[in-house]
Amino acid sequence: MRYRTLGPSGLLVSELCLGTMTFGGSEGMWGQIGKLRQDEADSLVRAAFDAGINFIDTANVYAGGESERILGQTIRNLGIPRDEVVIATKVLGVMGEGPNARGASRGHIMAQAKASLQRLQMDHIDLYQIHGFDPLTPITETLEALDTLVRQGHLRYVGLSNWAAWQIVKAVGIAEASKLAPILSLQAYYTLVGRDLEREIVPMLQAEGLGLMVWSPLAGGFLSGKYSDGNTANDGRRASFDFPPVDLERGDAAIAVMREIASARGCTVAQVALAWLLHQPVVTSVIVGAKRIEQLQDNIRSTEVALTAEDLAALDTVTRLPAEYPGWMLERQSQYRATFASQKG
């Protein structure tokens, strides 16, 4: 297991992060995603920690807070020292009946951070993330609330999730200008069959030096290969919870190339998908969830898969995004200066 600094900080996190969306579900969407009980969660976290994973991600909305509660109890049950694990959680979603029991307002953030701490049985959260963009709340209000919690010692670092590039840059600029707690990271969807991030967000993250945590790296199980070629695989999560959306024609073409690489490398299709992400310079940590220890261990072995330049080129060719404005125009016009620089050199 390798470790990387999270954005512009000295915080080292493992290149794989354990996602806990499978903890505590009972019915509805959360039951479809996972119903792991306390003893099962204990075993999963133990296996992850023993493999070198020091980074665990949850959210207050996962199973209505049950995921946080189970995770907090697990850390205690296993006797894992608090300073040896980096705990990330999130706020934004619906946590009550009223109109203010959701969003990124100061009131909701302050209340939910303390509720999360209580469920986690901890005195601080290492990384607190705004789970999405709230169009009703001024970004400054959100950032000032986060800064207050950092100054109070309840939070160590702050990040965002599922924000557009312009929204992130605006938040980064406000935080810098107002000397508020800086934005360290973005948690976002990024896979071989979902490379939309590369149009605007990846260049922005690299320019600003922010970290990237990847959620759903197997595209809801699609990149395990068991859903390709028209196979619905009714025993998997996508059969009942078809998310994130995938272009099946492009997806099947990608799976075909991945099968060839997996066969040559002696690994699984899922490991190729995870290894591709770990080879992307912009990626800090890839969030892997699991229902079984065997599934988690299979994902962990992706850290041992070394893709060649030829492998990466083949995967890029079959999954590359089609050219889109203004990207193709920016590339064309940048040649004016690039050509001059090469001649001068």
Side-chain angles (χ1 to χ4, degrees):
M1 190 66 59
R2 292 171 289 269
Y3 300 86
R4 301 167 181 174
T5 54
L6 184 64
S9 78
L11 181 66
L12 285 168
V13 296
S14 50
E15 61 185 336
L16 292 184
C17 172
L18 179 64
T20 64
M21 194 182 283
T22 56
F23 291 11
S26 58
E27 56 186 27
M29 180 182 74
W30 301 114
Q32 293 171 352
I33 292 172
K35 299 181 179 180
L36 297 188
R37 304 273 71 87
Q38 189 67 61
D39 58 338
E40 297 168 307
D42 288 359
S43 298
L44 209 62
V45 172
R46 177 81 271 171
F49 191 73
D50 288 346
I53 292 176
N54 76 334
F55 198 14
I56 304 178
D57 180 73
T58 184
N60 63 346
V61 292
Y62 293 172
E66 190 65 6
S67 173
E68 286 183 328
R69 190 200 65 75
I70 290 175
L71 174 60
Q73 190 59 48
T74 288
I75 300 300
R76 286 179 171 266
N77 289 349
L78 299 180
I80 297 175
R82 180 64 185 89
D83 61 357
E84 291 186 17
V85 64
V86 178
I87 301 296
T89 190
K90 300 182 280 292
V91 61
L92 182 85
V94 179
M95 294 300 289
E97 298 279 337
N100 291 311
R102 63 202 72 194
S105 68
R106 182 178 184 86
H108 188 60
I109 289 172
M110 300 294 284
Q112 287 304 310
K114 292 175 182 178
S116 288
L117 285 168
Q118 187 173 31
R119 285 189 291 267
L120 289 164
Q121 302 180 65
M122 296 175 182
D123 63 1
H124 74 274
I125 295 164
D126 296 294
L127 177 66
Y128 201 50
Q129 303 155 101
I130 304 300
H131 209 165
F133 187 74
D134 178 356
L136 298 183
T137 302
I139 293 177
T140 300
E141 178 180 338
T142 297
L143 296 177
E144 287 178 345
L146 293 171
D147 184 73
T148 297
L149 289 165
V150 169
R151 293 178 185 278
Q152 290 176 345
H154 299 308
L155 314 178
R156 295 284 171 84
Y157 301 100
V158 298
L160 307 172
S161 179
N162 303 317
W163 284 39
W166 72 265
Q167 295 165 343
I168 298 167
V169 170
K170 186 173 182 179
V172 168
I174 290 171
E176 289 180 351
S178 303
K179 294 183 170 51
L180 302 173
I183 304 297
L184 281 198
S185 60
L186 173 71
Q187 186 174 147
Y189 172 62
Y190 186 34
T191 71
L192 272 166
V193 291
R195 296 176 61 180
D196 309 72
L197 219 65
E198 294 174 1
R199 295 202 188 280
E200 297 283 347
I201 293 179
V202 166
M204 178 276 301
L205 292 174
Q206 292 174 321
E208 298 297 329
L210 304 184
L212 174 62
M213 298 165 62
V214 176
W215 60 259
S216 199
L218 297 181
F222 180 85
L223 289 175
S224 66
K226 62 185 178 182
Y227 297 97
S228 62
D229 302 323
N231 178 15
T232 57
N234 58 16
D235 62 335
R237 193 186 93 184
R238 279 197 88 91
S240 57
F241 186 60
D242 192 16
F243 181 84
V246 172
D247 181 323
L248 297 181
E249 184 177 350
R250 285 171 58 85
D252 286 347
I255 292 291
V257 174
M258 294 168 71
R259 288 193 198 282
E260 294 178 6
I261 294 173
S263 177
R265 297 283 164 266
C267 63
T268 66
V269 171
Q271 287 166 357
V272 171
L274 295 172
W276 179 82
L277 283 168
L278 293 173
H279 279 71
Q280 304 309 305
V282 72
V283 173
T284 303
S285 190
V286 176
I287 302 171
V288 293
K291 296 180 181 179
R292 307 182 315 277
I293 289 180
E294 296 77 20
Q295 183 184 13
L296 175 63
Q297 291 172 335
D298 185 76
N299 289 339
I300 290 172
R301 283 192 285 272
S302 66
T303 61
E304 302 168 7
V305 177
L307 300 178
T308 66
E310 291 76 16
D311 294 335
L312 293 170
L315 292 169
D316 180 64
T317 298
V318 76
T319 64
R320 185 183 304 146
L321 292 171
E324 183 181 79
Y325 181 84
W328 54 259
M329 192 62 177
L330 292 171
E331 183 177 357
R332 179 183 178 87
Q333 291 183 320
S334 69
Q335 296 307 307
Y336 300 153
R337 297 284 282 174
T339 301
F340 176 79
S342 63
Q343 289 174 347
K344 188 175 181 179

